[in-house]
């Protein structure tokens, strides 16, 4: 709050102008919502226009109404429950496993140097390989059931969590660590009171990035040999030139990602002050 | 030498426990040589004999001679300031006393016991506040007590509350460091160190990063607290006026490699008020320290002298 007088507690009472720094550009919530909505509407308009102008045949570029119909069709189909359950399970199990394993190993690798020396080669190797390329192997090893799909989701989502956790631990404020040592804190105490809370913001960033990866994992996992799933639904629709259905499937993925990311971002905001 | 307000004669020499418990123990000041043989333990509370420190930060084997055959003592209850040019090894020496850095040569004892590791008997007030951002002021102050497990949670909390009040932050005990000003953070830093009742309080330019007005206030408050709790302090600074205002004795370090080139016993009345800074005696002391400092720093004034803290941290 910018006040120009120290004598009056309320600037209004003194009838003077309340000023703000000239370079202050605060977040304008109302304008953000208005412009964001406008942009989406304009995009829909352009989309509609393109379909009206028949830039592409309708079978290649459906119009918004077609997509809405496709949604209706999807939700009316008898397999909708199975599709959502299958994809949801793959996403949930794979992602949760990735978060648990990623954080646990990240903390171990980051905190205990020897563990880091032991596992760094594997982490670096696995990080360099495009993880989805492992899916044929997983199919062979685990079969076409849900376990191979969960494994793939886990594999692609674990790395953002792992890498971020490691760097969170390795980039702790050395002065804070030294302060803890000064007070005779044991390694375990330092871990609990400095390392763990200090790396939470990094861990959350990793979790947020992991959501996007996990969604890629779900889709790729359902490319081959899936019975049900939103990804499989997209693949099927694509094969049958039902482009409107493809769009609908994409939107389902997108909405899931946006909601989950927003939830983690909320947590990140809460812990922002913990970043050193 | 002995000052009027000073508390007179010491009790008979005791072990560190007794002295620690009482805390209020009167101690003669202004004399480094032992008054009598029973008192040598107190006179050599911190004892450095022929201490050399050659250290390497980035794994280079040759190392850098930061401290050279240093002889140095701190008597129990004394407030000693080390003043020296940038990069003179004063922070290096303080880090050795804190136990962060081993010494290359010589003896470095606290109450006759060699210093081999950090410990709450030598709590440090760092130049940066180094507070845990996720803990409240009160919980930051209890930190040392929690880590050393020296008292129950309830006792630690009670003690921390006292100290938070002592440094004038009672209204902010539940605030997080992010909401505090630089000066307030340094008060928390100080309270946290005092909470563990250290044998020797180490201060590494604690007021260097606060503004000039706040610095004077904090200096005055440090002395106030000192009058009430009577801690022993080793205070490193490059601020001559600060050293004279605070210290019973100022040790002037030479340029690197650091050694004591001059000692000034500051015999100013206590409690020291801000006005003492304008007295002729004060100015003379400042002059004496400045002259010694100038002589000592001619030899090795380095071009990269600005890297003092980073280099020695």
């Amino acid at each position: 709050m910018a006040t120009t007088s120290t004598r009056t507690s309320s600037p209004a009472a003194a009838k003077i102008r309340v000023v703000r720094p000239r370079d202050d550009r605060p977040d304008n919530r109302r304008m953000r919502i208005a412009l964001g909505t406008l942009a989406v509407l304009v995009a829909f308009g352009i989309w509609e226009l393109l379909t009206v102008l028949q830039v592409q045949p309708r079978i290649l570029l459906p119009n918004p109404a077609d997509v809405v119909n496709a949604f209706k069709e999807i939700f009316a189909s008898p397999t909708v429950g199975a599709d959502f359950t299958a994809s949801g399970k793959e996403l949930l199990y794979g992602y949760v496993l990735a978060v648990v394993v990623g954080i646990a190993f990240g903390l171990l690798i980051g905190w205990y140097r020897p563990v880091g020396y032991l596992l760094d080669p594997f982490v670096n190797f696995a990080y360099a390989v495009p993880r989805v390329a492992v899916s044929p192997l997983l199919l062979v090893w685990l079969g076409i059931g849900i376990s191979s799909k969960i494994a793939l989701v886990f594999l692609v989502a674990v790395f953002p969590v792992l890498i971020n956790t490691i760097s969170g631990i390795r980039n702790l404020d050395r002065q804070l660590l030294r302060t803890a040592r000064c007070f005779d804190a044991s390694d375990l105490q330092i871990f609990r009171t400095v390392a763990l809370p200090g790396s939470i913001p990094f861990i959350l960033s990793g979790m947020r990035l992991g959501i996007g990866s996990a969604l890629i994992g779900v889709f790729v996992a359902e490319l081959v040999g899936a019975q049900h799933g939103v990804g499989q639904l997209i693949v099927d629709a694509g094969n049958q030139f039902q482009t409107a259905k493809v769009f609908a499937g994409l939107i389902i993925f997108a909405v899931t990602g946006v909601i989950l990311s927003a939830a983690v971002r909320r947590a990140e905001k809460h812990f922002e002050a913990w970043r050193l | 030498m002995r000052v009027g307000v000073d508390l007179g004669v010491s009790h008979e020499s005791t072990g560190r426990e007794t002295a620690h418990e009482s805390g209020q123990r009167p101690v003669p000041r202004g004399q480094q040589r032992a008054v009598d043989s029973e008192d040598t333990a107190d006179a050599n509370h911190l004892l450095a004999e022929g201490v050399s420190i050659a250290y390497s930060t980035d794994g280079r084997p040759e190392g850098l001679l930061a401290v050279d055959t240093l002889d140095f003592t701190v008597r129990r209850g004394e407030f000693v300031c080390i003043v020296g040019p940038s990069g003179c090894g004063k922070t290096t020496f303080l880090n050795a006393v804190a136990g962060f850095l081993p010494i290359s040569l010589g003896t470095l004892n606290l109450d006759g016991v060699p210093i081999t590791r950090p410990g709450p008997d030598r709590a440090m007030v760092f130049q940066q506040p180094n507070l845990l951002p996720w803990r409240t002021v009160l919980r930051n102050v209890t930190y040392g007590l929690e880590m050393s497990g020296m008292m129950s949670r309830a006792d630690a909390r009670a003690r921390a509350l006292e100290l938070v009040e002592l440094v004038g932050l009672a209204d902010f005990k539940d605030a997080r460091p992010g909401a505090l000003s630089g000066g307030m953070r340094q008060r928390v830093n100080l309270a946290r160190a005092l909470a563990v009742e250290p044998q020797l309080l180490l201060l590494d330019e604690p007021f260097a990063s606060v503004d000039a007005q706040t610095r004077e206030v904090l200096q005055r408050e440090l002395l106030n607290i000192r009058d009430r709790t009577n801690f022993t302090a080793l205070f490193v600074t490059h601020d001559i006026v600060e050293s004279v205002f605070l210290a019973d004795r100022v040790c002037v370090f030479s340029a690197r490699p650091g050694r004591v080139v001059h000692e000034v016993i500051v015999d100013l009345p206590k409690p020291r008020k801000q006005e003492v800074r304008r007295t002729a005696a004060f100015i003379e002391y400042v002059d004496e320290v400045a002259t010694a400092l100038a002589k000592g720093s001619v030899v090795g004034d380095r071009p990269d002298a600005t890297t003092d803290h980073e280099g020695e941290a």
Side-chain angles (χ1 to χ4, degrees):
Chain A
M1 259 302 159
T3 29
T4 49
S5 167
T6 48
R7 274 181 303 169
T8 48
S9 53
S10 157
K15 296 256 193 283
I16 52 164
R17 188 164 65 110
V18 178
V19 298
R20 201 162 47 202
R22 293 207 160 84
D23 56 355
D24 193 10
R25 300 168 72 185
D27 175 48
N28 186 336
R29 190 161 181 268
R30 211 179 293 168
M31 196 198 244
R32 177 157 51 87
I33 291 169
L35 286 183
T37 313
L38 184 71
V40 172
L41 290 178
V42 167
F44 268 102
I46 292 173
W47 181 10
E48 182 73 43
L49 192 69
L50 288 175
T51 52
V52 169
L53 293 175
Q54 294 276 340
V55 178
Q56 292 281 338
R58 193 151 166 196
I59 193 161
L60 298 183
L61 182 68
N63 70 18
D66 292 336
V67 176
V68 172
N69 284 333
F71 263 111
K72 282 183 191 157
E73 201 186 308
I74 288 173
F75 282 101
S77 88
T79 57
V80 62
D83 284 336
F84 276 86
T85 314
S87 291
K89 262 189 185 168
E90 290 156 20
L91 180 65
L92 183 74
Y93 294 167
Y95 180 69
V96 169
L97 198 62
V99 167
V100 171
V101 173
I103 291 175
F105 275 81
L107 294 177
L108 278 173
I109 291 171
W111 187 246
Y112 296 104
R113 291 237 161 184
V115 180
Y117 295 150
L118 274 171
L119 296 182
D120 270 347
F122 301 103
V123 173
N124 291 336
F125 175 80
Y127 194 55
V129 172
R131 261 90 55 207
V132 291
V134 185
S135 73
L137 214 51
L138 293 175
L139 274 176
V140 173
W141 286 346
L142 300 171
I144 55 167
I146 196 167
S147 45
S148 68
K149 295 172 178 59
I150 292 171
L152 187 69
V153 173
F154 162 77
L155 208 59
V156 293
V158 75
F159 277 90
V161 182
L162 181 74
I163 303 279
N164 270 277
T165 306
I166 293 173
S167 74
I169 290 270
R170 286 190 180 159
N171 292 310
L172 288 169
D173 184 344
R174 294 192 42 168
Q175 288 294 323
L176 273 191
L177 295 173
R178 173 164 278 196
T179 306
R181 289 235 154 74
C182 174
F183 289 110
D184 215 17
S186 67
D187 262 17
L188 198 66
Q189 283 174 318
I190 295 177
F191 181 77
R192 185 170 56 79
T193 59
V194 181
L196 205 54
S199 51
I200 278 182
F202 291 85
I203 293 174
L204 286 171
S205 297
M207 284 173 60
R208 186 163 47 80
L209 296 173
I211 289 169
S213 304
L215 288 171
I216 295 175
V218 169
F219 179 77
V220 174
E222 292 175 5
L223 271 179
V224 182
Q227 305 291 316
H228 297 289
V230 179
Q232 189 265 344
L233 183 149
I234 293 177
V235 176
D236 248 22
N239 290 340
Q240 297 165 29
F241 281 85
Q242 296 177 306
T243 45
K245 221 170 171 181
V246 175
F247 271 82
L250 288 178
I251 290 170
I252 293 171
F253 267 102
V255 168
T256 311
V258 167
I259 290 173
L260 292 178
S261 302
V264 180
R265 196 182 283 282
R266 238 195 143 93
E268 273 183 280
K269 267 232 166 85
H270 184 257
F271 290 106
E272 208 147 70
W274 290 22
R275 223 177 254 276
L276 303 169
Chain B
M1 268 313 163
R2 203 157 292 172
V3 184
V5 269
D6 225 330
L7 306 143
V9 235
S10 75
H11 304 294
E12 45 290 310
S13 181
T14 46
R16 66 155 93 170
E17 303 76 24
T18 340
H20 189 133
E21 273 165 23
S22 76
Q24 303 288 337
R25 192 160 177 269
V27 170
R29 295 199 194 103
Q31 279 283 47
Q32 325 61 295
R33 296 288 151 251
V35 181
D36 56 53
S37 57
E38 280 188 335
D39 214 30
T40 47
D42 273 0
N44 293 334
H45 180 46
L46 176 75
L47 173 67
E49 275 180 331
V51 168
S52 295
I53 303 172
Y55 80 105
S56 95
T57 41
D58 45 6
R60 279 174 308 166
E62 65 269 31
L64 177 82
L65 189 64
V67 177
D68 184 18
T69 49
L70 177 76
D71 293 323
F72 187 85
T73 56
V74 177
R75 138 185 299 281
R76 189 183 295 283
E78 199 179 19
F79 198 125
V80 178
C81 279
I82 296 179
V83 185
S86 282
C88 73
K90 54 191 192 292
T91 299
T92 306
F93 177 64
L94 196 71
N95 281 334
V97 176
F100 295 134
L101 193 65
I103 56 173
S104 307
L105 259 182
T107 314
L108 186 60
N109 290 352
L110 185 74
D111 289 324
V113 183
I115 292 169
T116 54
R117 48 177 307 219
D121 55 341
R122 284 152 288 132
M124 174 94 108
V125 181
F126 297 86
Q127 184 180 355
Q128 298 305 322
N130 295 346
L131 304 177
L132 298 173
W134 44 85
R135 285 185 169 225
T136 62
V137 165
L138 192 65
R139 298 255 298 134
N140 264 290
V141 176
T142 57
Y143 187 75
L145 298 168
E146 269 175 54
M147 293 304 107
S148 56
M150 54 174 75
M151 53 176 80
S152 74
R153 262 175 178 273
D155 289 349
R157 203 186 137 82
R159 166 127 187 93
L161 263 173
E162 270 171 42
L163 279 153
V164 168
E165 263 165 43
L166 191 65
V167 298
L169 288 178
D171 291 345
F172 293 89
K173 66 180 168 57
D174 297 320
R176 285 184 208 278
L180 303 182
S181 70
M184 289 157 102
R185 289 180 199 177
Q186 275 310 50
R187 288 164 200 240
V188 181
N189 189 5
L190 176 65
R192 176 178 60 190
L194 287 172
V196 294
E197 294 196 309
Q199 294 283 310
L200 177 60
L201 186 68
L202 306 174
L203 304 102
D204 182 15
E205 305 200 36
F207 308 144
S209 49
V210 298
D211 64 272
Q213 279 88 45
T214 309
R215 190 179 310 146
E216 291 199 356
V217 172
L218 289 175
Q219 287 164 356
R220 182 57 238 143
E221 281 184 11
L222 181 62
L223 287 187
N224 267 340
I225 294 167
R226 203 261 178 137
D227 288 341
R228 286 158 71 176
T229 57
N230 207 31
F231 54 78
T232 311
L234 180 55
F235 190 111
V236 161
T237 178
H238 61 258
D239 183 336
I240 299 168
V241 175
E242 176 171 78
S243 72
V244 172
F245 184 69
L246 294 174
D248 300 318
R249 180 159 57 95
V250 178
C251 291
V252 181
F253 268 39
S254 66
R256 198 175 64 206
R259 54 203 317 181
V260 179
V261 288
H262 193 67
E263 277 191 13
V264 181
I265 290 156
V266 183
D267 192 8
L268 290 168
K270 292 180 182 179
R272 284 180 196 162
K273 302 247 163 56
Q274 297 292 13
E275 298 81 60
V276 80
R277 296 171 195 267
R278 292 192 291 273
T279 62
F282 187 88
I283 293 162
E284 261 172 51
Y285 282 125
V286 169
D287 201 47
E288 188 180 346
V289 174
T291 310
L293 196 57
K295 260 190 221 154
S297 38
V298 188
V299 202
D301 206 5
R302 300 177 303 149
D304 58 334
T306 46
T307 57
D308 192 6
H309 317 303
E310 279 75 30
E312 291 176 28

